[in-house]
Amino acid sequence: RNLTTIDLTKDFSIPSSFTALMQPQDPKVPLISNGTLWSNEIDTFWLFGGMSSGQSDHDNTLWRFSFSLKGQKWTQLNSNTANITGARPADGAGCNVRSRSKGYYLGGMAKNRDSSELKYLHSMTIFDMNEEKTSVIDVPPYVPIIGQNLVFLPTAGDGILVALGGYTESNGKLERIGLNKVYIYDITSGSWSVQPTTDREGGSKTVLGSDVGHSIGIPEARDHMCTVVGSAPDKSSHNLYVFGGKNNTNSLGDIWALSLPSMLWIHLNTSDTTNLPKVGSTCTVIHDSYGWNPLLYDICGGDWSQGYNPEPAGYTVPVSIKSVIGGR
């Protein structure tokens, strides 16, 4: 029951020169996986959802972790005040939007305390970080709800959420969806739309993991990958970096970028030699430059990095993407 922390104010090399500190965790906090952490990216995060292992408690709870110079503290929020009801969702996708002080959790599945039956959730939970309250909205049945990724893009208005990969569900049957489409939620209007994607030549051929060396095409369908976003300084493009995941039989170690608004897939790396977990790993962006900590992928250079700089220059579109889409 520990939190692992890394000091990002200091430089380090990969793989072994950083120090990971184990922070004690309140024993009342549930041991879960496949939930989400919502963060204000300053001094507080909230633990929501997830699947417990070996525990009988399936009730949904929301925990706050706050820290300061005086110390750190776990607090369970009052479920009535926070509007938390039902069973704990797991295996959906979460993201937080610091600019709006909101957290989102799309889909998932849940199991009630008094039933062994799984319920698939065609809904999205929205968390207000200032009020510490949740609300739930329905989502269309074509939107992926299991094993997908969800990211925020700072576009016009309040921005958009993009869901990709994973599974849709109908009558208890899951269907893996391809990456030839992404699913966009416009925060301002509260509406969903489906956007087709293509490769750099306007085609729609799927590149399988076994097609080593192929750089043109659309990545094969997958779930439980991880995705981060790099936005051009002039906001002319937003690039989604997708790593790993699994198909029907294998884990995947390739890296792709989906550039919006052009909706073009660009193949960045064929294989992964870092021994990173390829399925269910968590990605985050540090200083608009690095992804996939504690090993680092330089999203500006488009390759794995051997060291971390605590004062990078910020995000710039890598040549491998700029040569296809143009811009800055």
Side-chain angles (χ1 to χ4, degrees), residues 36-40 44-48 62-64 77 81-84 95-97 100-105 124-136:
T36 195
L37 292 175
W38 293 319
S39 171
N40 66 1
T44 306
F45 66 76
W46 295 264
L47 174 64
F48 177 78
L62 184 60
W63 287 82
R64 179 209 306 129
L77 301 187
T81 303
N83 197 29
I84 299 293
C95 71
N96 59 268
V97 182
R100 303 188 68 249
S101 298
K102 292 288 194 300
Y104 297 85
Y105 191 82
M124 184 163 65
T125 298
I126 304 173
F127 175 63
D128 186 314
M129 298 179 188
N130 296 325
E131 299 292 332
E132 292 193 320
K133 291 183 178 180
T134 65
S135 57
V136 179

Side-chain angles (χ1 to χ4, degrees), residues 91-92 106-108 120-122 139 143-148 167-169:
D91 214 17
L106 174 62
Y120 294 99
L121 306 175
H122 294 271
V139 301
V143 174
I145 60 168
I146 297 293
Q148 79 282 32
Y167 297 86
T168 57
E169 182 271 339

Side-chain angles (χ1 to χ4, degrees), residues 14 22-23 42 55 64 70 126 187-188 231 244 246 259 270 284 311 321:
I14 298 298
M22 306 298 288
Q23 307 289 349
I42 302 174
Q55 297 187 30
R64 179 209 306 129
K70 296 180 179 180
I126 304 173
I187 295 176
T188 301
S231 296
K246 64 180 177 67
S259 189
T270 300
T284 189
E311 297 181 358
I321 295 178

Side-chain angles (χ1 to χ4, degrees), residues 49-78:
M51 183 182 301
S52 60
S53 176
Q55 297 187 30
S56 59
D57 181 13
H58 299 292
D59 292 343
N60 202 359
T61 54
L62 184 60
W63 287 82
R64 179 209 306 129
F65 179 82
S66 55
F67 55 93
S68 66
L69 294 177
K70 296 180 179 180
Q72 58 191 32
K73 183 180 181 181
W74 281 100
T75 304
Q76 182 178 359
L77 301 187
N78 183 288

Side-chain angles (χ1 to χ4, degrees), residues 55-286:
Q55 297 187 30
S56 59
D57 181 13
H58 299 292
D59 292 343
N60 202 359
T61 54
L62 184 60
W63 287 82
R64 179 209 306 129
F65 179 82
S66 55
F67 55 93
S68 66
L69 294 177
K70 296 180 179 180
Q72 58 191 32
K73 183 180 181 181
W74 281 100
T75 304
Q76 182 178 359
L77 301 187
N78 183 288
S79 294
N80 292 328
T81 303
N83 197 29
I84 299 293
T85 59
R88 184 185 296 132
D91 214 17
C95 71
N96 59 268
V97 182
R98 178 183 175 183
S99 60
R100 303 188 68 249
S101 298
K102 292 288 194 300
Y104 297 85
Y105 191 82
L106 174 62
M109 57 186 177
K111 183 186 295 185
N112 290 317
R113 180 192 297 270
D114 56 353
S115 173
S116 60
E117 182 180 358
L118 283 176
K119 179 181 179 181
Y120 294 99
L121 306 175
H122 294 271
S123 60
M124 184 163 65
T125 298
I126 304 173
F127 175 63
D128 186 314
M129 298 179 188
N130 296 325
E131 299 292 332
E132 292 193 320
K133 291 183 178 180
T134 65
S135 57
V136 179
I137 61 173
D138 293 331
V139 301
Y142 57 78
V143 174
I145 60 168
I146 297 293
Q148 79 282 32
N149 283 176
L150 184 70
V151 294
F152 169 73
L153 272 63
T155 57
D158 292 326
I160 61 174
L161 303 180
V162 180
L164 66 162
Y167 297 86
T168 57
E169 182 271 339
S170 179
N171 297 320
K173 182 179 179 180
L174 296 177
E175 180 179 353
R176 180 183 278 113
I177 60 173
L179 292 174
N180 59 337
K181 297 177 182 178
V182 294
Y183 304 82
I184 295 178
Y185 177 74
D186 183 276
I187 295 176
T188 301
S189 66
S191 61
W192 287 90
S193 62
V194 183
Q195 294 291 328
T197 65
T198 65
D199 63 27
R200 59 198 298 173
E201 294 185 348
S204 57
K205 178 186 176 182
T206 297
V207 175
L208 301 178
S210 58
D211 292 340
V212 177
H214 287 236
S215 60
I216 298 176
I218 291 176
E220 63 181 299
R222 62 192 66 196
D223 58 272
H224 295 92
M225 64 283 198
C226 67
T227 303
V228 296
V229 176
S231 296
D234 61 359
K235 298 296 187 289
S236 61
S237 68
H238 307 275
N239 301 306
L240 281 62
Y241 295 78
V242 178
F243 170 65
K246 64 180 177 67
N247 57 21
N248 286 323
T249 56
N250 300 308
S251 62
L252 305 168
D254 50 353
I255 299 176
W256 292 76
L258 175 63
S259 189
L260 278 69
S262 62
M263 294 294 173
L264 296 179
W265 282 106
I266 302 165
H267 200 190
L268 298 180
N269 293 76
T270 300
S271 61
D272 162 48
T273 59
T274 63
N275 296 317
L276 268 173
K278 301 176 180 66
V279 179
S281 58
T282 300
C283 305
T284 189
V285 174
I286 306 168

